[in-house]
Amino acid sequence: MKKKIENLASINTRLNINWPASYEPKNRKVHVHNAIVIDARREVVWEWLVRAECWPDWYSNSKNVVIIDSIEPHKLTSKCKFRWTTFGINLQSFVDQYAKEKVIAWEAVGFLVHAYHAWELEEIDETHCLVITEERQYGIGAWIFHWVFPRRMWQKHHLWLTQLKKMAESYPPPSKIINSQKYGLK
């Protein structure tokens, strides 16, 4: 059973996302797809994922996350906006798709880059969750970055997933902003 579960993450599964027309695969050359199996309940993984203000404490490629207008304090929710820095680029993001504990997707706009990042959480059984993430980009900045560093986005998303796995498997979801020293992260 464990071998079967681990193999799920290697499947090149496509997300069940309604991609905006400008991000359809035929229109976007810059995209990455990552997946991982996490030994935790889906709702635990979800809580770590939607607490975006905590990302910088456990995912080193995110900084200065501010949720602007969420209906739940300190959490990404449907139609909320947030700003943050990743890959050294300041982004304004808007949660476009949201199905609690299943799907979250946002559009992000920054200097010379437009991105659409989607996440899907699939419950395997009561204690395992398959997390799939995919991002598509366009804009001269996205193209140049991809040309100069062709695997960098995949590597950083892999890091994001492995750190999400570590947090969800090791700690209960944060009740609000976490203290990174508590988790031995910094």
Side-chain angles (χ1 to χ4, degrees), residues 122-134:
E122 182 181 316
E123 186 174 82
I124 299 168
D125 59 32
E126 290 182 12
T127 59
H128 296 89
C129 175
L130 174 63
V131 180
I132 306 165
T133 186
E134 189 167 343

Side-chain angles (χ1 to χ4, degrees), residues 11 20 41 43 84 108 158 186:
I11 298 171
R41 294 186 354 252
E43 58 268 20
W84 61 307
H158 179 72
K186 293 187 177 179

Side-chain angles (χ1 to χ4, degrees), residues 29 44 142:
K29 300 291 186 228
V44 171

Side-chain angles (χ1 to χ4, degrees), residues 91-159:
L91 298 171
Q92 299 290 323
S93 299
F94 172 74
V95 176
D96 182 51
Q97 296 182 59
Y98 183 94
K100 188 173 183 173
E101 296 178 6
K102 294 180 182 174
V103 170
I104 189 165
W106 58 78
E107 183 168 24
V109 178
F111 183 68
L112 301 176
V113 64
H114 293 261
Y116 200 85
H117 195 156
W119 298 77
E120 186 171 338
L121 281 65
E122 182 181 316
E123 186 174 82
I124 299 168
D125 59 32
E126 290 182 12
T127 59
H128 296 89
C129 175
L130 174 63
V131 180
I132 306 165
T133 186
E134 189 167 343
E135 182 168 340
R136 299 175 184 171
Q137 299 179 350
Y138 69 90
I140 190 72
W143 185 85
I144 290 171
F145 186 84
H146 180 69
W147 185 72
V148 174
F149 304 107
R151 294 196 36 85
R152 179 73 52 93
M153 189 165 47
W154 185 92
Q155 291 165 339
K156 291 299 185 180
H157 285 185
H158 179 72
L159 174 64

Side-chain angles (χ1 to χ4, degrees), residues 31-181:
H31 69 276
V32 294
H33 177 95
N34 301 69
I36 197 167
V37 173
I38 298 179
D39 299 331
R41 294 186 354 252
R42 181 171 62 183
E43 58 268 20
V44 171
V45 177
W46 180 262
E47 286 300 313
W48 278 104
L49 182 58
V50 298
R51 297 224 181 247
E53 292 171 336
C54 298
W55 294 345
D57 285 326
W58 54 269
Y59 173 50
S60 60
N61 195 36
S62 66
K63 294 177 181 21
N64 307 319
V65 181
V66 177
I67 298 173
I68 299 167
D69 61 353
S70 178
I71 58 172
E72 289 187 57
H74 307 293
K75 288 185 182 182
L76 298 179
T77 56
S78 181
K79 307 300 180 201
C80 81
K81 296 175 186 169
F82 63 105
R83 64 179 180 262
W84 61 307
T85 302
T86 188
F87 294 100
I89 300 169
N90 296 323
L91 298 171
Q92 299 290 323
S93 299
F94 172 74
V95 176
D96 182 51
Q97 296 182 59
Y98 183 94
K100 188 173 183 173
E101 296 178 6
K102 294 180 182 174
V103 170
I104 189 165
W106 58 78
E107 183 168 24
V109 178
F111 183 68
L112 301 176
V113 64
H114 293 261
Y116 200 85
H117 195 156
W119 298 77
E120 186 171 338
L121 281 65
E122 182 181 316
E123 186 174 82
I124 299 168
D125 59 32
E126 290 182 12
T127 59
H128 296 89
C129 175
L130 174 63
V131 180
I132 306 165
T133 186
E134 189 167 343
E135 182 168 340
R136 299 175 184 171
Q137 299 179 350
Y138 69 90
I140 190 72
W143 185 85
I144 290 171
F145 186 84
H146 180 69
W147 185 72
V148 174
F149 304 107
R151 294 196 36 85
R152 179 73 52 93
M153 189 165 47
W154 185 92
Q155 291 165 339
K156 291 299 185 180
H157 285 185
H158 179 72
L159 174 64
W160 201 345
L161 284 173
T162 57
Q163 290 301 102
L164 176 62
K165 177 180 175 70
K166 176 182 175 182
M167 299 311 289
E169 290 178 356
S170 303
Y171 305 102
S175 57
K176 53 184 176 181
I177 303 302
I178 65 172
N179 178 337
S180 59
Q181 284 82 20

